[in-house]
Structures are given as C-alpha cells and as structure tokens.
Amino acid sequence: MNLSYEVISAEEIENCRDLCNELMAFQKSRAYIRPELFDSMNFETRMVPSIHSALHNYIVVVKDGRQIVGYVYSNISPKEAYSNEFATFFDLSSVLRPNVGCLSQFYIKEEYRKYGVGTKLLNMSMTWLKQFDEIEDYFVFVSNGNNEALEFYQRKGFSVSHDILDGFITVLRRNK
Ligand SMILES: CC(C)(COP(=O)(O)OP(=O)(O)OC[C@H]1O[C@@H](n2cnc3c(N)ncnc32)[C@H](O)[C@@H]1OP(=O)(O)O)[C@@H](O)C(=O)NCCC(=O)NCCS
C-alpha cells in the first residue's frame, strides 16, 4: 500500500462517481428497513445536488498509487437544506445558528478498512469543519444496518440523536 491523501475541488468530483455509487450499493446491502429507498440514490442524485446546494464543500480522496480507494465528503449548508420532501432530518429549532456542518459521505474500499484510513479522513474533515467559527452543530446520517459505521462515529465523539423515516436513518450529532 502506498497511500496518499488529496483534497480535491468541487469541479473534480467526477473522480468520486464510482465510489459514491459503491457507497449507495453498500448501504442498500446492509439495510433491512426500506432498502428500496436506495434505488434512486446515486452519484447524480446525491453528490452532485449536495455539492451545488452547499455553501462550502470539502472532499478528500485516498489514493493507493494512482487508484482512488476511498473518499470523504463534508459540507457546510443552511439548516433548511435538511428539511425537504424526502425528510426532516432534525428539528431545525434545535439548531441556533443558520448553518450546520455535515459529514455527508464516507467510503473506503473494503480491503483498505481497519488500517486507520477512516480515522485520518474523519480527523481531516473535523479540522476543516471546525474552522468555521459560526458553526456549532455537526451531523452524520447513518442508514439502518450499518452498525460498524454507527459505532465508528460514536467512538469519534458523535452521539445518537434520533431515528427518522421509520428507522431508515439514524441521526448522530456533535456540538462544537
Ligand atoms: C466506516 C469507515 C469509513 C471506517 O473507516 P476505516 O478506515 O475502517 O476506519 P479506521 O481503520 O480508522 O477505524 C476502524 C477501526 O479499525 C480498527 N483499526 C484501525 N487501525 C487499525 C490497525 N492499524 N490495526 C488494527 N485495527 C485497526 C480500530 O478498531 C478502529 O476503531 P477506532 O475507531 O476505535 O479507532 C469504513 O469502514 C467504510 O468505508 N465503511 C463502508 C462505508 C460506510 O459505512 N460508510 C459510512 C456511511 S455513514
């Protein structure tokens, strides 16, 4: 393994297309509550719109040589972005500031997991998120069946807040 970490711009997200689609398939494979909701989720419907609606984006890819083997995508968005026709992700009145930080997508290819890559990407993302002084609330949304990710985020300082969509998603949050 010859791993390197590279911050890429929003114009370069095409590089994440395949891994983003793998993430959706992975989450569907783990889900036991409403897995069919993933059928309409892919790079075009999830990552592209999210990048465009966010105020600030941060994407880090991990490469083994020239091959991209993982990525993390975080953003700062208006809290209203989390209440839409799909779901209300959290009680907007519980967030005092106008904008929130979100660890939006996280995926490492299976053979690269459990070597500390996720921890490194999470730390980079939290450092980036915390530079925005006006942000006090950080969110992560974990789909059902993905207990490894749920526990990973809890070990990293996030706490379970509540479930939405009949348990399809667990909302975790962390304060500054
Ligand atoms: C969740 C995910 C991003 C975590 O990434 P990762 O690279 O496996 O994470 P890490 O290796 O940093 O940490 C996982 C655990 O592996 C173990 N680990 C880490 N480094 C290790 C090492 N060198 N040797 C042995 N075990 C190690 C630790 O138990 C660690 O737990 P910790 O949180 O207490 O440190 C990754 O598993 C993943 O991509 N999963 C599939 C997609 C997914 O679920 N995404 C999240 C959607 S919300």
Side-chain angles (χ1 to χ4, degrees):
M1 265 191 232
N2 176 22
L3 300 184
S4 60
Y5 296 80
E6 195 177 309
V7 178
I8 65 167
S9 72
E11 288 71 43
E12 299 172 289
I13 53 165
E14 187 61 35
N15 287 305
C16 297
R17 177 184 289 271
D18 292 348
L19 288 188
C20 177
N21 289 333
E22 269 186 44
L23 169 62
M24 299 307 145
F26 172 84
Q27 292 179 121
K28 181 176 181 181
S29 75
R30 291 295 172 97
Y32 54 90
I33 299 167
R34 303 179 71 182
E36 72 283 358
L37 289 179
F38 282 109
D39 290 342
S40 59
M41 296 188 195
N42 55 44
F43 173 76
E44 294 293 344
T45 60
R46 290 291 314 282
M47 191 161 191
V48 172
S50 185
I51 293 269
H52 287 132
S53 66
L55 301 168
H56 305 281
N57 294 297
Y58 183 67
I59 308 135
V60 188
V61 296
V62 190
K63 290 182 175 173
D64 185 359
R66 297 176 61 155
Q67 192 204 356
I68 297 180
V69 298
Y71 77 107
V72 65
Y73 164 46
S74 311
N75 61 41
I76 302 287
S77 300
K79 63 181 174 183
E80 287 77 16
Y82 294 97
S83 184
N84 52 43
E85 68 283 352
F86 179 64
T88 294
F89 285 81
F90 50 83
D91 175 6
L92 298 193
S93 68
S94 72
V95 173
L96 298 182
R97 300 296 182 118
N99 304 321
V100 299
C102 181
L103 213 59
S104 180
Q105 296 182 9
F106 209 160
Y107 187 76
I108 295 161
K109 278 186 166 292
E110 189 169 7
E111 56 270 39
Y112 293 87
R113 293 176 201 156
K114 300 210 182 290
Y115 289 107
V117 175
T119 299
K120 165 110 178 155
L121 289 178
L122 185 128
N123 289 343
M124 290 176 77
S125 303
M126 289 312 301
T127 300
W128 180 80
L129 286 166
K130 285 181 173 177
Q131 72 181 324
F132 295 93
D133 292 337
E134 76 280 13
I135 305 297
E136 292 181 347
D137 304 270
Y138 310 107
F139 288 90
V140 183
F141 309 110
V142 178
S143 53
N144 68 92
N146 194 358
N147 288 337
E148 284 167 17
L150 197 68
E151 288 168 11
F152 174 79
Y153 292 123
Q154 287 175 288
R155 286 195 301 271
K156 306 299 183 194
F158 284 84
S159 301
V160 171
S161 171
H162 59 280
D163 287 348
I164 58 169
L165 296 168
D166 308 325
F168 177 68
I169 285 174
T170 298
V171 177
L172 292 97
R173 65 193 287 179
R174 171 176 167 168
N175 294 331
K176 184 163 242 169

